[in-house]
Amino acid sequence: QGQQDRSNPFTKAATKKPNHISTTYTPGPVPFAPETASRWIYPIHKAFPSRDYQLAITNTAILHNTLVSLPTGLGKTLIAAVVLYNYYHWFPTGKVVFLAPTVPLVNQQIKACYEIMGIPVEHTALLTGKIPSSEREHLWKECRAFFCTPQTVQKDIACGRCDASKIVC
């Protein structure tokens, strides 16, 4: 499974569209890893054939808040996994969160992200309301990549189990 490097949005202004707004990085509470600043990573593998529209949407999603609406089977999970992985890579002390509306979808997404981008299993946590709050609090402190329902994240932030300032994606 190979990966292809792409230019990093934090070091290079976006220039794909004539009236495109330049993007610059503004430091926040989570430090950025400067040694990763020169590239972003996209999977190249026969199981995930390269599709120009997915690459273009991924590039946009890395640069801007993006809502992706595609029919089933056209790559929303791949796009999200690539964006999630790159933020995980760029911010080595930050937390990345993948939200899905139901527990079965959360389970599906975590499996797909392992297979697509290979985020280390030991850095990930599946968080739902069925997991005791004390265990979720421990996982928020120990892990970096989270696959959750929105209600669980909302509750954990409100109750102080999750420090939202550490979430980078």
Side-chain angles (χ1 to χ4, degrees):
Q1 175 176 336
Q3 294 178 335
Q4 183 177 356
D5 291 345
R6 299 287 179 190
S7 59
N8 186 307
F10 298 125
T11 58
K12 194 176 200 180
T15 58
K16 292 207 178 238
K17 295 180 183 176
N19 295 321
H20 204 274
I21 298 170
S22 293
T23 302
T24 58
Y25 174 65
T26 304
V30 178
F32 179 70
E35 66 277 7
T36 65
S38 64
R39 63 190 169 97
W40 62 275
I41 298 169
Y42 191 85
I44 301 297
H45 190 277
K46 63 182 175 188
F48 313 111
S50 181
R51 296 182 178 139
D52 289 342
Y53 71 90
Q54 289 174 333
L55 185 59
I57 293 169
T58 301
N59 186 61
T60 298
I62 282 177
L63 293 169
H64 307 282
N65 287 329
T66 305
L67 173 65
V68 177
S69 177
L70 293 170
T72 300
L74 291 184
K76 293 181 297 291
T77 299
L78 180 133
I79 293 164
V82 172
V83 171
L84 190 84
Y85 176 81
N86 280 284
Y87 277 83
Y88 167 88
H89 184 67
W90 293 329
F91 296 90
T93 62
K95 313 253 182 219
V96 294
V97 179
F98 194 131
L99 298 176
T102 65
V103 174
L105 282 175
V106 170
N107 289 321
Q108 177 184 341
Q109 301 310 322
I110 195 168
K111 180 179 182 292
C113 283
Y114 288 148
E115 292 172 359
I116 293 169
M117 295 305 295
I119 292 175
V121 175
E122 63 272 13
H123 292 182
T124 64
L126 172 69
L127 300 181
T128 67
K130 295 184 191 247
I131 296 174
S133 58
S134 59
E135 186 178 340
R136 291 197 319 266
E137 184 171 9
H138 171 76
L139 291 169
W140 279 113
K141 290 176 182 170
E142 298 299 317
C143 295
R144 294 193 44 228
F146 299 87
F147 298 82
C148 323
T149 57
Q151 300 85 352
T152 303
V153 175
Q154 182 181 25
K155 185 179 277 188
D156 286 351
I157 290 171
C159 294
R161 290 185 283 272
C162 167
D163 179 359
S165 72
K166 302 288 186 204
I167 298 174
V168 295
C169 178

